[in-house]
């Protein structure tokens, strides 16, 4: 299959590009497009055969549910049994935006592959011009996980999508680099108090300002959930080719660990905040200023992907604060590392 990459900007005939994308989607194919979080791989959410093509292109496990993207709030009742009061408040406050709400799905409307056999569905309204224009031109919901090979770092640029899915999908809409850089917050509003199933740009504190108490399990606690209600809960995700290990942000311990690994023959890549001082790592990928969590989140996946352009045999990623957006950063790092911390010399 030939993969076409079309740039959507002010210099081109956008209506013609959207019409082409809509035609492809209506033919039961998939299209990659940008959102404010990461690039998504979309298929019409009511078309079972089309949705299956998402799983095939990504190599995604079939028990991993998909998020449904819509272009207007008025569409929500088409796909859910009821909209809880908490959900209404959050939709008014945060949509369009990086918040996915888990609600009870209407039976027989969405493709069964979207919900992975669950009675619930995650719905969001993305805050990106290209995504919204596409959805409104299509006038149908799009099931859309991140547009990457399953398990790899999510794409924040069209080039990332092309690297992963060239020859596997027909069309990529290039809308530039995404702004937030990590996937949406996923909140289950079918329970009380609501539970964050995946942290993102909308933080626990922001949610609680609107609706009161919200629970946020740690990544370790989420691992105990055998039936995932949301993407990213069950499998190792966001990982480059070389194994990733977490390490406490302590300069002395990091440098001791790097020295030990290099002595063992490893080539070491280090992911740490920009203000980390000189390191003996073979490769250093700063992912933003530690005081600016939004910047760290935006650069995280790009840094993880950059590791694949090196000959590093092991990647160390420093931990960060779990406050605010830090919870989302730590969630992604924990998943990329499969929960593994490196053994630091002298701490056995």
């Amino acid at each position: 299959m030939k993969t076409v990459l079309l740039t959507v900007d002010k210099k081109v005939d956008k209506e013609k590009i959207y019409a082409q994308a809509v035609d492809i989607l209506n033919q039961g194919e998939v299209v990659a497009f940008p959102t404010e979080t990461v690039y998504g791989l979309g298929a019409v959410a009511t078309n079972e055969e089309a949705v299956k093509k998402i799983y095939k292109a990504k190599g995604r496990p079939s028990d991993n549910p998909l998020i449904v993207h819509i272009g207007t709030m008025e569409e929500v009742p088409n796909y859910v049994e009821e909209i809880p009061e908490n959900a209404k408040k959050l939709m008014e406050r945060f949509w369009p935006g990086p918040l996915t709400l888990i609600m009870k799905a209407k039976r027989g409307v969405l493709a069964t592959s979207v919900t992975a056999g669950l009675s619930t569905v995650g719905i969001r309204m993305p805050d990106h011009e290209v995504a919204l224009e596409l959805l409104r031109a299509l006038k149908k919901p799009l099931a859309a996980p991140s547009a990457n090979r399953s398990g790899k770092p999510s794409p924040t640029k069209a080039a990332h999508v092309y690297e992963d899915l060239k020859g596997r999908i027909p069309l990529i809409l290039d809308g530039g680099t995404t702004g937030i850089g990590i996937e949406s917050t996923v909140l289950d509003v079918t329970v009380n108090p609501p539970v964050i199933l995946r942290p993102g740009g909308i933080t626990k504190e922001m949610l609680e300002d609107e609706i009161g108490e919200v629970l946020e399990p740690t990544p370790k606690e989420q691992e105990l959930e055998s039936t995932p209600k949301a993407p990213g809960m069950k499998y190792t995700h966001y990982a480059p080719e070389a194994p990733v290990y977490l390490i406490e942000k302590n300069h002395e311990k990091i440098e001791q660990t790097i020295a030990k690994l290099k002595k063992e023959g490893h080539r070491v890549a280090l992911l740490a905040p920009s203000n980390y001082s000189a390191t003996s790592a073979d490769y250093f990928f700063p992912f933003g200023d530690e005081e600016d969590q939004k910047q760290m989140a935006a650069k995280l996946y790009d840094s993880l992907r950059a590791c694949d352009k090196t000959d590093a045999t092991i990647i160390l990623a420093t931990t960060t604060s779990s406050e605010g957006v830090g919870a989302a950063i730590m969630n992604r790092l924990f998943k990329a590392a499969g929960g593994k911390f490196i053994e630091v010399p002298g701490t056995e």
Side-chain angles (χ1 to χ4, degrees):
M1 177 186 297
K2 181 182 179 183
T3 299
V4 176
L5 195 154
L6 296 177
T7 301
V8 185
D9 60 26
K10 294 176 182 176
K11 300 174 186 176
V12 300
D13 183 349
K14 288 192 276 190
E15 283 191 19
K16 186 176 179 181
I17 290 176
Y18 290 128
Q20 185 174 341
V22 166
D23 284 347
I24 290 171
L25 290 165
N26 280 330
Q27 289 165 19
E29 289 294 339
V30 295
V31 171
F33 61 95
T35 75
E36 80 281 26
T37 57
V38 299
Y39 273 75
L41 181 62
V44 174
T46 53
N47 183 330
E48 184 69 44
E49 292 307 309
V51 173
K52 285 180 178 178
K53 290 179 182 178
I54 294 176
Y55 286 94
K56 184 178 179 181
K58 285 176 60 70
R60 182 185 178 95
S62 60
D63 62 346
N64 206 353
L66 303 176
I67 289 169
V68 172
H69 294 63
I70 56 173
T72 65
M73 281 194 224
E74 289 71 30
E75 296 169 62
V76 177
N78 297 338
Y79 311 113
V80 302
E81 290 288 352
E82 62 174 335
I83 307 173
E85 283 304 312
N86 279 340
K88 291 176 184 176
K89 290 179 185 177
L90 294 173
M91 287 160 56
E92 285 293 328
R93 172 67 180 83
F94 295 114
W95 280 13
L99 177 64
T100 295
L101 297 173
I102 301 285
M103 293 178 275
K104 293 286 184 184
K106 270 190 176 173
R107 296 183 65 178
V109 177
L110 296 166
T112 55
S113 296
V114 169
T115 59
L118 299 174
S119 61
T120 55
V121 63
I123 297 184
R124 92 176 187 97
M125 184 178 169
D127 188 15
H128 192 288
E129 180 185 2
V130 173
L132 288 175
E133 290 279 358
L134 176 62
L135 285 160
R136 290 167 184 173
L138 179 67
K139 297 182 174 62
K140 294 175 183 177
L142 285 178
S146 55
N148 57 294
R149 291 289 286 165
S150 191
K152 295 302 172 192
S154 299
T156 55
K157 302 174 181 177
H160 296 161
V161 182
Y162 195 75
E163 285 171 10
D164 279 12
L165 300 179
K166 178 185 176 184
R168 306 179 74 90
I169 65 174
L171 180 63
I172 302 168
L173 298 182
D174 183 353
T177 302
T178 61
I180 294 175
I182 51 175
E183 296 84 356
S184 62
T185 302
V186 177
L187 184 72
D188 186 353
V189 291
T190 66
V191 293
N192 194 28
V195 178
I196 294 174
L197 302 183
R198 182 180 70 189
I202 304 297
T203 66
K204 179 177 188 285
E205 295 79 7
M206 292 164 70
L207 294 168
E208 289 186 329
D209 282 346
E210 299 297 323
I211 61 171
E213 185 183 9
V214 169
L215 302 180
E216 183 171 21
T218 65
K220 200 71 179 174
E221 290 168 339
Q222 284 188 358
E223 278 190 334
L224 302 176
E225 180 67 51
S226 59
T227 304
K229 279 188 176 181
M233 290 183 67
K234 187 172 180 182
Y235 301 95
T236 299
H237 282 262
Y238 323 120
E241 295 294 335
V244 178
Y245 290 88
L246 297 173
I247 189 166
E248 180 189 346
K249 192 176 155 289
N250 176 297
H251 187 272
E252 184 180 353
K253 290 180 179 178
I254 290 172
E255 294 309 312
Q256 286 176 354
T257 303
I258 291 171
K260 177 175 179 283
L261 290 169
K262 291 175 79 169
K263 194 173 180 180
E264 293 170 358
H266 284 288
R267 293 189 63 77
V268 183
L270 175 67
L271 271 69
S274 312
N275 53 357
Y276 185 83
S277 55
T279 176
S280 58
D282 298 288
Y283 304 98
F284 175 48
F285 296 105
F287 55 96
D289 188 334
E290 196 165 27
E291 301 305 312
D292 187 346
Q293 290 183 327
K294 289 183 179 179
Q295 183 191 54
M296 289 176 70
K299 291 187 174 182
L300 177 61
Y301 289 145
D302 202 33
S303 294
L304 284 168
R305 281 181 170 269
C307 292
D308 280 343
K309 301 289 193 295
T310 72
D311 61 353
T313 59
I314 195 166
I315 301 164
L316 300 181
T318 62
T319 57
T320 188
S321 163
S322 290
E323 296 297 314
V325 178
I329 296 169
M330 278 307 301
N331 171 273
R332 304 318 193 268
L333 288 174
F334 187 91
K335 292 288 185 182
K340 304 186 301 295
F341 277 80
I342 196 78
E343 187 178 282
V344 178
T347 62
E348 293 87 350

